[in-house]
Amino acid sequence: HSRQFLSAGIAGLPPKQRQVMAWTWDGFSDAEIAGQLGDSEAAVRKNRSRAMKNLRRLLADEGRGAK
């Protein structure tokens, strides 16, 4: 259940955040991700931070029984 919920949460992220998270989970560095996406390393870090915040909020809501 949690895996499906997390997958849905990832799918619900804005496209750039979803891309950054996918590349991060695949082991790419900020510099590599930035080069592939045409962004700065700072933008990559910011998008990852926002994605993690969104996912933490989603998981916290699940823990409280929110739908």
Side-chain angles (χ1 to χ4, degrees), residues 41-60:
E41 290 182 52
V44 168
R45 288 189 297 272
K46 183 55 110 175
N47 275 292
R48 184 174 41 252
S49 173
R50 288 177 177 164
M52 293 300 292
K53 181 179 177 182
N54 288 333
L55 291 172
R56 277 192 297 272
R57 184 180 314 126
L58 183 70
L59 291 172

Side-chain angles (χ1 to χ4, degrees), residues 15-21 24 29-31 33-35 37-52:
K16 189 69 76 162
Q17 291 177 19
R18 191 170 53 244
Q19 289 174 315
V20 167
M21 291 306 295
T24 297
S29 70
D30 290 350
I33 298 168
L37 298 180
D39 286 333
S40 68
E41 290 182 52
V44 168
R45 288 189 297 272
K46 183 55 110 175
N47 275 292
R48 184 174 41 252
S49 173
R50 288 177 177 164
M52 293 300 292

